[in-house]
Amino acid sequence: MTLPPKLNATVFVLSAFFAHSSVMAQSADDPFVLELETYGGRSVVPPDIVENDVDQERLEGVIGGALLGSYRIDDTRIFGSIGAEVFPTDSLFNRYSFTVGASQDIPLTDRGRVRLRLGGTADHVIGDEGRVFTRGRADSQLIYRHGDGHTSVGRFRYGYRDQSEERFTGFDQTELLGELRHTYRPQGSNTSLSIAAFVLDIDADDDRFSFRGLGVRVLAQTPLSDDFTGFARASYLNRDYEDDFSQAFPLARDDNVWRISSGLERRVSSSLIMFGELGYIDHSSNIPTRDFGGVIGRVGIRAKLD
């Protein structure tokens, strides 16, 4: 039986890091920012091995980290990162990633309330046994800032993944993402609520890796005191695959994935934050080896390096 792909666990970690590092946002008088995040916890392993045992463990302990550097000039941002995610129980899951990217904001109105943001990234991910994949993405966002702290975003992203043929064939793929997002942030407050709905279309060389996804995400955060910030997030994603999963499971895969979590951040100093997050994942699937659920979470530190 052909094994499914080594997927990008490290890139997922980096994406979460980029999205949740706003507490150390880049200031206008500090164009260069270098940030480090390290953590340990329990997470979903990369879905890269299918075993006949339906009781296989899909949640394992993990140790990870990411280093992100960014440079901003007016409406232009250039960034790069390196990251690692290690699973002590099985080195086969380990990932090490390298990312470079840039974005450009283009004001479309005099006051900048409407902006077009164009950007792109290139990812190179390796494992302990060599290259896992190389991927390029092009991203466009139309941003409209309403009055009273409301912001709406329409987003379209195109990507292409070149998978290592030494691992398996059929997973080279194009991806299309369409997203609508709205964020409310009361004026003069660090409280925010963001709600997004998205459509994801993955077209792989082998149809058993191709799917259409529909999902929603909610993220909220608010200061609890001078030193503590609370946050919570929830998401749902349905993935409907196009072809039979394998010879052992000759039916088209259909997944429903729920995640919910909450956590705290504590500002230790102007450049150091400690954080903890606890949640639950329910990954329901008609494929027994992809049907699982359990507690997930992590604790760690995030530092701004001068």
Side-chain angles (χ1 to χ4, degrees):
M1 179 176 60
T2 303
L3 298 181
K6 303 269 187 180
L7 293 184
N8 53 331
T10 303
V11 174
F12 294 159
V13 171
L14 289 173
S15 299
F17 176 41
F18 299 158
H20 201 60
S21 62
S22 59
V23 291
M24 294 180 176
Q26 196 167 22
S27 62
D29 58 352
D30 187 11
F32 179 73
V33 170
L34 188 63
E35 294 178 328
L36 173 68
E37 177 175 287
T38 61
Y39 61 88
R42 189 169 189 252
S43 183
V44 181
V45 302
D48 53 9
I49 293 180
V50 174
E51 301 171 351
N52 291 326
D53 182 5
V54 298
D55 295 325
Q56 63 180 294
E57 182 60 58
R58 305 304 304 176
L59 300 172
E60 296 285 359
V62 61
I63 300 171
L67 179 67
L68 167 67
S70 64
Y71 187 78
R72 185 185 298 275
I73 307 174
D74 297 327
D75 291 328
T76 303
R77 180 172 177 261
I78 303 170
F79 58 89
S81 68
I82 57 176
E85 194 165 60
V86 175
F87 291 83
T89 57
D90 193 340
S91 63
L92 195 62
F93 297 140
N94 296 349
R95 297 292 180 272
Y96 314 97
S97 72
F98 307 86
T99 299
V100 294
S103 66
Q104 176 69 46
D105 279 13
I106 304 171
L108 300 181
T109 60
D110 292 339
R111 294 185 177 182
R113 294 181 62 182
V114 181
R115 288 174 172 259
L116 178 64
R117 178 172 296 165
L118 302 176
T121 58
D123 302 308
H124 183 70
V125 179
I126 62 176
D128 289 353
E129 299 179 352
R131 186 178 77 93
V132 180
F133 69 85
T134 304
R135 180 179 61 195
R137 280 175 166 172
D139 189 275
S140 63
Q141 300 182 52
L142 184 62
I143 304 169
Y144 175 46
R145 303 187 186 281
H146 310 254
D148 301 325
H150 291 273
T151 302
S152 296
V153 178
R155 181 185 187 190
F156 176 78
R157 187 181 73 200
Y158 169 84
Y160 179 76
R161 177 201 294 257
D162 178 19
Q163 195 77 20
S164 171
E165 297 296 327
E166 294 181 0
R167 297 176 178 271
F168 66 95
T169 59
F171 201 71
D172 288 354
Q173 63 183 238
T174 59
E175 64 174 52
L176 298 175
L177 171 72
E179 178 183 356
L180 292 175
R181 182 172 70 250
H182 186 82
T183 300
Y184 174 59
R185 186 186 300 273
Q187 293 183 352
S189 170
N190 290 323
T191 296
S192 66
L193 174 65
S194 178
I195 302 174
F198 59 93
V199 177
L200 180 62
D201 184 85
I202 299 296
D203 184 15
D205 286 353
D206 189 334
D207 283 345
R208 68 193 180 105
F209 300 129
S210 301
F211 68 85
R212 180 72 54 83
L214 297 172
V216 293
R217 290 190 305 268
V218 179
L219 172 63
Q221 65 178 23
T222 187
L224 302 177
S225 68
D226 291 341
D227 297 329
F228 286 92
T229 297
F231 61 91
R233 43 188 150 204
S235 66
Y236 166 75
L237 173 63
N238 171 260
R239 292 191 296 253
D240 186 10
Y241 287 77
E242 294 184 5
D243 204 354
D244 290 352
F245 182 71
S246 65
Q247 293 180 357
F249 303 107
L251 67 163
R253 178 177 167 186
D254 187 10
D255 295 348
N256 289 282
V257 185
W258 293 88
R259 289 178 184 246
I260 186 169
S261 66
S262 62
L264 287 174
E265 293 182 345
R266 181 178 180 235
R267 182 177 290 277
V268 180
S269 68
S270 60
S271 60
L272 182 64
I273 287 175
M274 301 175 62
F275 63 87
E277 183 175 10
L278 185 65
Y280 188 86
I281 180 172
D282 179 14
H283 193 293
S284 299
S285 177
N286 61 342
I287 304 300
T289 56
R290 289 295 180 267
D291 187 82
F292 62 90
V295 175
I296 54 176
R298 60 179 189 160
V299 294
I301 60 173
R302 187 178 301 120
K304 182 177 179 180
L305 307 178
D306 295 327

